[in-house]
């Protein structure tokens, strides 16, 4: 910007005068700024509208598949004995359940009073199962049937239970070991990694590990104590005794998985398989909640506050009115669903005067529990016709999707802002030229006034001289 100064000829305040004139000339520029602020507010309003509609789209995704309405749940009366889960393939029913024993692996423990001798040697594990012949109840005979074996070697110089523990765990042969201190001495616990009767083992120690031999079929030479016996799970389901190698039983009842927690042959409980309406009820509640949040946002963005005398950024916006109308029509529509409910109002969802939705929980529960209502058909469709979830989702895709209504509205606003930027640039150039002209004009005026002032001073001086000369002649 060129340097400027106040008038030097007449003392005229050129800068002050030009600045005041330019303030008036710049009014169109301020109007452009106000219009851009309005457009930016609308652009922000479009973003808020998108944020309010996205949860509504997400809520619909949970209602598009028939399986969402076919959920089943399994429950056990005594939760300390077992738990259960069910898939959609499970059938409703009730079963008596007794957990006679749970599956477990074998565990053995060294002496609680004196730690065994440890030094370099080999410890062989024979895996298999123990069989008990109790044909003679007074003299039962236990035998072991071996299926595989593996060995652990402790190197010379290793002479602690911790060394042996590390060697067993590093070998990764199907058993694990840990050392505990009982307050008097260290004890080594060796446990099988698997459950079931077939996961039992014998131990044969050699050289420096001779004290670790164990045979569950005899107690004569054992220095280790068995604290858990390898055994299968046994349950009685509706009077039928079942044996499994795991505490997770998924092949007894189709679509049901039973997880055994504790064996207690003296207790009987009930396993119940029933329809699970909680998930779909929650999904419908979320749909209503998401729509109401959108409705609140839309009313604020497009409304007018009488108290503050301020309008929302999308007040009067045709796109907002169109979106509100499309969604209301989609939600209030009647859908093809022979012999079932055909509208949301039939399951307890209705419009309020302010455009929000109200959900009657009792009506919804009754509809979900009545198979004849076929609530799934209302949302997912029937007879080849799309249901509410797909219809409303399609409307939202047209609003939120790329090139949709909100994208188009945002593009239009951005084009308007770009046009304002172009106008502002042209106006800025015009104002610069006007300011230069004003300064040139007032500088010329200042020079002219200065010249006139000098002429006036000269004439006054001459007149004063003439007056003095006339006085002297008298």
């Amino acid at each position: 910007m060129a340097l400027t100064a106040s008038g030097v000829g007449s003392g005229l305040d050129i800068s002050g005068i030009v600045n005041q004139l330019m303030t008036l000339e710049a009014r169109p520029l301020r109007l452009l700024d106000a219009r851009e602020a309005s457009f930016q507010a609308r652009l922000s309003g479009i973003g808020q509208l998108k944020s309010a509609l996205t949860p509504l789209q997400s809520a619909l995704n949970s209602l598009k598949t028939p399986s969402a309405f076919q959920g089943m749940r399994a429950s056990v009366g005594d939760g300390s004995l077992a738990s259960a889960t069910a898939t959609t393939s499970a059938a409703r029913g009730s079963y008596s359940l007794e957990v006679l024993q749970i599956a477990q692996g074998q565990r053995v423990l060294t002496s609680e009073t004196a730690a065994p001798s440890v030094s370099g040697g080999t410890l062989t594990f024979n895996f298999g199962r123990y069989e008990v012949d109790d044909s003679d109840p007074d003299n039962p005979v236990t035998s072991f049937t071996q299926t595989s074996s593996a060995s652990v070697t402790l190197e010379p110089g290793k002479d602690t239970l911790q060394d042996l523990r590390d060697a067993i765990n590093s070998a990764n042969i199907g058993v694990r070991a840990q050392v505990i201190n009982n307050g008097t001495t260290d004890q080594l616990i060796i446990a099988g990694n698997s459950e079931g009767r077939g996961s039992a083992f014998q131990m044969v120690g050699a050289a420096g590990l001779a004290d670790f031999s164990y045979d569950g079929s005899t107690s004569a030479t054992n220095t280790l104590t068995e604290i858990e016996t390898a055994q299968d799970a046994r349950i009685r389901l509706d009077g039928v005794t079942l044996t499994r190698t795991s505490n997770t039983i998924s092949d007894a009842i189709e679509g049901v998985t039973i997880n055994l927690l504790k064996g207690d042959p003296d207790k009987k409980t009930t396993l119940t398989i029933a329809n699970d309406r909680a998930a779909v009820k929650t999904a419908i509640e979320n749909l209503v909640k998401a729509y109401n949040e959108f409705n609140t946002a839309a009313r604020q963005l497009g409304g007018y506050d009488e108290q503050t005398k301020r309008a929302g950024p999308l007040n009067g916006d045709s796109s907002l009115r169109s979106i509100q109308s499309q969604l209301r029509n989609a939600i209030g529509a009647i859908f093809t669903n022979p012999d079932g409910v055909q509208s949301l109002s039939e399951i307890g969802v209705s419009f309020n005067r302010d455009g929000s939705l109200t959900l009657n929980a009792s009506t919804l529960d009754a509809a979900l529990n009545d198979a004849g209502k076929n609530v799934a058909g209302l949302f997912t469709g029937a007879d080849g016709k799309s249901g509410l979830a797909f219809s409303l989702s399609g409307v939202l895709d047209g609003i939120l999707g790329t090139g949709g209504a909100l994208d188009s509205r945002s593009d239009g606003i951005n084009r308007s802002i770009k046009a304002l930027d172009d106008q502002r640039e042209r106006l800025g150039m015009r104002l610069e030229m006007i300011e230069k002209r004003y300064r040139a004009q007032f500088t010329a005026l200042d020079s002219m006034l200065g010249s006139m002032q000098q002429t006036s001073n000269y004439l006054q001086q001459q007149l004063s001289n003439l007056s003095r000369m006339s006085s002297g002649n008298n």
Side-chain angles (χ1 to χ4, degrees):
M1 180 180 290
L3 293 175
T4 61
S6 298
V8 294
S10 66
L12 189 67
D13 184 6
I14 296 175
S15 292
I17 295 172
V18 171
N19 287 340
Q20 292 183 51
L21 289 172
M22 292 309 300
T23 297
L24 295 175
E25 294 286 352
R27 287 185 61 187
L29 189 62
R30 293 193 293 276
L31 292 175
L32 290 180
D33 290 340
R35 290 185 64 192
E36 180 175 353
S38 175
F39 282 132
Q40 291 290 0
R42 288 184 177 272
L43 204 57
S44 175
I46 294 296
Q48 294 176 56
L49 197 58
K50 281 185 177 181
S51 297
L53 286 169
T54 300
L56 183 58
Q57 183 72 287
S58 299
L60 288 169
N61 291 334
S62 301
L63 295 166
K64 288 182 177 180
T65 58
S67 61
F69 298 83
Q70 299 167 358
M72 302 296 291
R73 60 181 175 84
S75 58
V76 178
D78 188 340
S80 68
L81 297 178
S83 64
T85 57
T87 65
T88 56
S89 64
R92 294 172 59 183
S94 181
Y95 305 82
S96 66
L97 173 64
E98 298 170 78
V99 183
L100 305 178
Q101 66 181 35
I102 63 172
Q104 62 187 28
Q106 181 178 333
R107 290 203 302 164
V108 295
L109 177 67
T110 59
S111 171
E112 63 180 10
T113 58
S117 174
V118 180
S119 62
T122 301
L123 186 59
T124 300
F125 289 84
N126 298 320
F127 297 98
R129 69 169 59 215
Y130 288 101
E131 304 284 353
V132 179
D133 181 359
D134 54 4
S135 56
D136 181 358
D138 295 328
N139 295 291
V141 177
T142 302
S143 61
F144 183 77
T145 301
Q146 180 179 330
T147 56
S148 63
S149 66
S151 296
V152 174
T153 299
L154 186 64
E155 299 295 333
K158 303 289 186 178
D159 56 5
T160 67
L161 284 179
Q162 286 77 10
D163 291 331
L164 179 56
R165 174 200 62 196
D166 295 342
I168 292 173
N169 291 337
S170 297
N172 194 27
I173 59 173
V175 294
R176 61 190 183 280
Q178 60 179 326
V179 176
I180 62 171
N181 186 283
N182 63 17
T184 301
T185 188
D186 286 340
Q187 291 181 272
L188 181 70
I189 299 176
I190 300 175
N193 288 340
S194 302
E195 300 171 339
R197 187 178 175 187
S199 64
F201 55 84
Q202 291 177 327
M203 297 164 56
V204 180
L209 299 178
D211 285 349
F212 292 90
S213 295
Y214 176 82
D215 183 354
S217 63
T218 177
S219 60
T221 59
N222 291 334
T223 58
L224 282 76
T225 302
E226 186 176 68
I227 54 177
E228 280 189 4
T229 301
Q231 64 183 29
D232 292 333
R234 291 177 61 243
I235 66 171
R236 189 172 290 123
L237 194 62
D238 267 3
V240 179
T241 301
L242 307 175
T243 301
R244 297 291 187 271
T245 59
S246 171
N247 289 317
T248 301
I249 302 175
S250 57
D251 58 354
I253 304 173
E254 183 179 359
V256 178
T257 298
I258 305 171
N259 301 295
L260 306 182
L261 304 175
K262 182 181 71 173
D264 190 337
D266 296 326
K267 283 188 177 182
K268 181 183 290 188
T269 188
T270 302
L271 170 63
T272 304
I273 293 82
N275 295 107
D276 183 11
R277 303 304 186 197
V280 70
K281 182 179 180 181
T282 298
I284 294 174
E285 290 172 342
N286 288 339
L287 173 64
V288 171
K289 178 183 177 183
Y291 180 83
N292 285 341
E293 290 175 349
F294 154 74
N295 183 66
T296 298
R299 286 169 60 83
Q300 292 174 345
L301 292 169
Y304 180 82
D305 191 323
E306 290 288 349
Q307 293 183 341
T308 63
K309 306 300 180 183
R310 296 183 63 179
L314 297 182
N315 179 260
D317 192 288
S318 60
S319 296
L320 174 59
R321 291 196 299 270
S322 174
I323 290 170
Q324 289 175 300
S325 177
Q326 291 180 65
L327 294 181
R328 287 188 190 121
N329 291 338
I331 287 177
I334 304 297
F335 294 88
T336 300
N337 189 21
D339 302 323
V341 293
Q342 298 181 324
S343 67
L344 282 179
S345 61
E346 293 182 68
I347 64 171
V349 180
S350 57
F351 278 105
N352 298 313
R353 294 184 61 181
D354 64 356
S356 63
L357 293 175
T358 293
L359 173 62
N360 186 305
S362 298
T363 304
L364 177 59
D365 286 337
L368 290 174
N369 290 323
D370 185 349
K373 297 292 187 181
N374 189 19
V375 177
L378 170 64
F379 285 93
T380 64
D383 283 1
K385 305 291 185 179
S386 66
L388 184 145
F390 288 94
S391 176
L392 183 54
S393 183
V395 172
L396 287 170
D397 286 342
I399 296 171
L400 294 171
T402 302
L406 292 184
D407 267 4
S408 298
R409 189 72 184 97
S410 295
D411 290 343
I413 294 174
N414 282 320
R415 285 194 297 270
S416 296
I417 293 174
K418 177 63 169 59
L420 290 180
D421 289 338
D422 294 340
Q423 292 181 52
R424 184 181 289 106
E425 184 177 356
R426 292 194 298 271
L427 182 57
M429 296 173 61
R430 178 173 171 273
L431 291 175
E432 186 176 347
M433 294 173 62
I434 291 174
E435 183 177 0
K436 288 181 179 179
R437 186 176 72 246
Y438 278 149
R439 292 192 181 278
Q441 289 174 340
F442 281 98
T443 298
L445 176 61
D446 178 62
S447 298
M448 183 179 68
L449 290 175
S451 176
M452 293 175 65
Q453 184 66 45
Q454 290 178 359
T455 301
S456 174
N457 292 338
Y458 173 76
L459 291 175
Q460 288 180 355
Q461 183 179 11
Q462 295 301 315
L463 288 173
S464 296
N465 290 336
L466 289 174
S467 177
R468 287 194 295 271
M469 291 175 61
S470 173
S471 299
N473 290 332
N474 290 334

